[in-house]
Amino acid sequence: MKKIRFILIVMISFSAFSQQRLTLNECYSLVEINYPLVKQHQLLAQQNQLDKEIILNSKLPQIHLDAQATYLSEVIQIPIPNSTIEPLNNDQYRATFSVNQLIYNGGLTDATLKVKSGQLKTKQKQVDATIYQLKTQINQLYFSILLVQENYKLIEAKKNLLEIKLKEVQSGVKNGVLLPSSDSVLEAELLKIKQQFIEVESAKSSLIETLSSLVGQTLLSDIIFEKPLIQTQLQNEINRPELELFQLKKEEIKNYEMLISKQNSPQLNGFATGGYGNPGLNMLDNSFQTFYTLGLKLHWNVFDWNSNKKQQEAVAINKDIIENETEIFKLNTNIELNKQQKEIEKISAFINSDEAIIELRKKVLKTLDAQLKNGVVTASAYITEFTNLFEAENTMLKHQIQIQLAKANYNTIKGE
């Protein structure tokens, strides 16, 4: 399923780039694929697999080969007169081949495997939570680019209007209706607009470069960033990956409690040893001999001075700590949601005021436009009001982008 999802996302991404368009959701998807931290999913899985194989090896026969040569300063002698039993040699040799097989350990191996599986899920979810937090950075970059992109269009519209007005003023100057310097004021304003274009293009290039690094994909400077229409449901129902992480930590603690309960279970092992040495098992035979032993060994830690019980109590405290962390996370998240909700309400009020301000500025500019044609006001007065209108439109544009950013952040904080 993950492979199919990966292919679909890549197809969407390349389709978007071929059309020179990119959406906010595609940025989210690209981060989930290309951000370097994503590689830890596979690395953690490989590490966990190796750990499990090591644990499972405890169920396999354990084989040992030992060899030793020793010299004893004194050996056992038989104090019987005229005995034909030769004393042992001071130099002794022994080589053994041993096999130990675990027969029963009370489910300790299976409990250990379950702990390892729980640890893998927790670590991978921690990676997911860290990557999810990058969405806030993507929101900031994406909407900053949108603001620059829309600002460019606004400057371009301003330039076109000024070029039209410049032709009218130049005609008025030529016919003696306007002062000779009137067109110079407009030309200077057009030069300022060229500087604004350079500033906007530089800002957009820098932002796109930063976003490219974050999503792990080269984004062309002329790519069009789609304006998302973000809807929010103002309710504090949180669905963040951090909450899943806390739940997995709780499950991991349950697994660890089970492991602790198995630690004092009786363990039964079978063993077999074959060897060759001097002396062998018969200490009275002073020659090289082959020998073997077979048997069962039971180990049971009957009394551990309440160590096991104290371990369980320590784990129970960890469970309370995670519960506390969960409550703190929910509290902080709800505070952030309330802040974003207030921000959305504030910007909405600003936009309503912006619309009224722009309408008033347009009326004033329309009056000055007629007066400029008749030579009643100077071009400087016209440019001043024209700039006021541009700034009012730019302010509303900024607020429109800001409210979408606030909504995107609200959804991100909530976990949508």
Side-chain angles (χ1 to χ4, degrees):
M1 187 66 188
K2 287 185 178 179
K3 187 175 180 181
I4 294 173
R5 181 172 175 268
F6 172 81
I7 294 171
L8 287 174
I9 291 173
V10 172
M11 289 176 63
I12 291 171
S13 302
F14 281 108
S15 173
F17 298 143
S18 65
Q19 298 170 8
Q20 297 295 299
R21 292 184 177 276
L22 185 67
T23 67
L24 180 61
N25 285 332
E26 286 169 356
C27 288
Y28 294 156
S29 299
L30 286 171
V31 166
E32 292 175 2
I33 296 173
N34 297 325
Y35 193 70
L37 189 62
V38 176
K39 296 178 182 177
Q40 287 196 16
H41 273 289
Q42 184 177 359
L43 294 174
L44 289 169
Q46 291 174 352
Q47 184 184 57
N48 186 263
Q49 182 61 34
L50 291 173
D51 289 341
K52 285 184 174 181
E53 289 176 4
I54 293 171
I55 294 168
L56 286 171
N57 284 343
S58 66
K59 291 186 175 183
L60 300 176
Q62 307 299 306
I63 301 172
H64 304 282
L65 177 64
D66 298 294
Q68 70 178 36
T70 57
Y71 183 86
L72 306 180
S73 62
E74 187 176 1
V75 294
I76 297 175
Q77 296 185 7
I78 306 299
I80 300 176
N82 301 319
S83 173
T84 59
I85 301 175
E86 297 181 1
L88 295 175
N89 296 333
N90 291 77
D91 56 323
Q92 298 183 3
Y93 307 91
R94 170 170 290 205
T96 58
F97 183 82
S98 303
V99 179
N100 290 277
Q101 175 63 59
L102 175 66
I103 298 174
Y104 175 79
N105 66 354
L108 181 63
T109 302
D110 292 337
T112 306
L113 288 172
K114 199 166 184 179
V115 167
K116 287 295 179 182
S117 296
Q119 288 175 346
L120 174 62
K121 292 178 182 178
T122 301
K123 290 177 181 179
Q124 288 184 333
K125 184 55 67 174
Q126 180 65 68
V127 171
D128 292 339
T130 303
I131 293 173
Y132 183 86
Q133 292 169 5
L134 294 173
K135 290 178 71 174
T136 302
Q137 288 181 253
I138 292 174
N139 290 344
Q140 190 63 50
L141 285 169
Y142 191 91
F143 285 98
S144 295
I145 293 171
L146 271 185
L147 180 59
V148 172
Q149 181 176 279
E150 296 303 311
N151 196 27
Y152 186 94
K153 295 177 183 178
L154 192 59
I155 295 172
E156 195 169 35
K158 178 183 177 183
K159 178 180 76 73
N160 294 335
L161 287 173
L162 279 179
E163 286 175 345
I164 294 172
K165 184 55 60 181
L166 177 61
K167 291 179 181 179
E168 294 177 358
V169 170
Q170 286 174 340
S171 176
V173 172
K174 185 177 180 181
N175 296 325
V177 178
L178 301 176
L179 295 174
S181 61
S182 298
D183 57 345
S184 298
V185 175
L186 296 178
E187 288 174 351
E189 190 65 24
L190 284 169
L191 289 175
K192 286 173 62 177
I193 286 178
K194 287 184 179 180
Q195 292 178 339
Q196 291 173 354
F197 275 128
I198 295 171
E199 185 178 357
V200 166
E201 288 173 351
S202 175
K204 183 179 179 181
S205 177
S206 177
L207 289 167
I208 289 177
E209 185 177 341
T210 304
L211 184 61
S212 295
S213 300
L214 195 59
V215 301
Q217 184 74 51
T218 301
L219 304 176
L220 302 178
S221 59
D222 59 347
I223 194 168
I224 297 174
F225 290 80
E226 298 281 0
K227 291 176 64 177
L229 183 61
I230 299 176
Q231 303 294 332
T232 58
Q233 294 181 351
L234 299 179
Q235 56 186 19
N236 296 351
E237 182 180 348
I238 304 170
N239 187 28
R240 289 280 293 273
E242 289 89 344
L243 294 179
E244 297 178 41
L245 176 62
F246 291 136
Q247 186 60 38
L248 287 173
K249 285 183 177 180
K250 292 177 187 177
E251 293 178 8
E252 187 179 338
I253 286 176
K254 288 181 181 179
N255 294 336
Y256 195 62
E257 286 176 332
M258 181 63 69
L259 175 63
I260 292 173
S261 68
K262 300 289 185 181
Q263 286 179 346
N264 287 343
S265 299
Q267 295 185 14
L268 181 65
N269 289 273
F271 64 89
T273 302
Y276 181 71
N278 182 5
L281 296 182
N282 184 358
M283 300 295 293
L284 300 180
D285 187 350
N286 191 20
S287 63
F288 281 92
Q289 309 166 34
T290 58
F291 58 87
Y292 71 89
T293 59
L294 300 173
L296 295 173
K297 180 180 179 181
L298 177 67
H299 173 78
W300 189 4
N301 189 6
V302 180
F303 185 71
D304 65 352
W305 303 97
N306 287 328
S307 296
N308 192 275
K309 182 180 179 181
K310 290 176 181 178
Q311 283 182 334
Q312 290 180 339
E313 290 174 354
V315 170
I317 293 173
N318 284 334
K319 190 185 298 183
D320 292 337
I321 290 173
I322 293 173
E323 288 286 356
N324 182 251
E325 289 176 348
T326 305
E327 291 177 8
I328 293 171
F329 176 79
K330 288 181 177 179
L331 175 63
N332 291 336
T333 303
N334 283 322
I335 290 172
E336 288 298 318
L337 285 173
N338 290 332
K339 285 172 62 177
Q340 287 298 321
Q341 184 174 343
K342 296 298 182 185
E343 184 73 9
I344 292 170
E345 292 171 356
K346 180 187 74 175
I347 299 173
S348 296
F350 284 164
I351 291 174
N352 292 333
S353 299
D354 289 336
E355 292 172 350
I357 291 170
I358 288 172
E359 287 302 316
L360 292 172
R361 291 291 184 191
K362 284 181 177 180
K363 289 179 181 179
V364 173
L365 186 64
K366 187 176 180 181
T367 301
L368 287 177
D369 183 42
Q371 292 175 345
L372 178 62
K373 290 178 181 179
N374 296 322
V376 177
V377 296
T378 63
S380 296
Y382 176 84
I383 286 299
T384 299
E385 192 54 44
F386 184 85
T387 302
N388 289 337
L389 175 60
F390 171 76
E391 289 178 354
E393 290 177 336
N394 193 39
T395 299
M396 185 171 76
L397 173 63
K398 187 183 297 184
H399 288 154
Q400 288 173 338
I401 298 297
Q402 284 177 344
I403 197 170
Q404 292 299 312
L405 171 60
K407 288 180 179 180
N409 285 338
Y410 185 93
N411 290 342
T412 299
I413 293 168
K414 191 166 64 172
E416 289 187 352

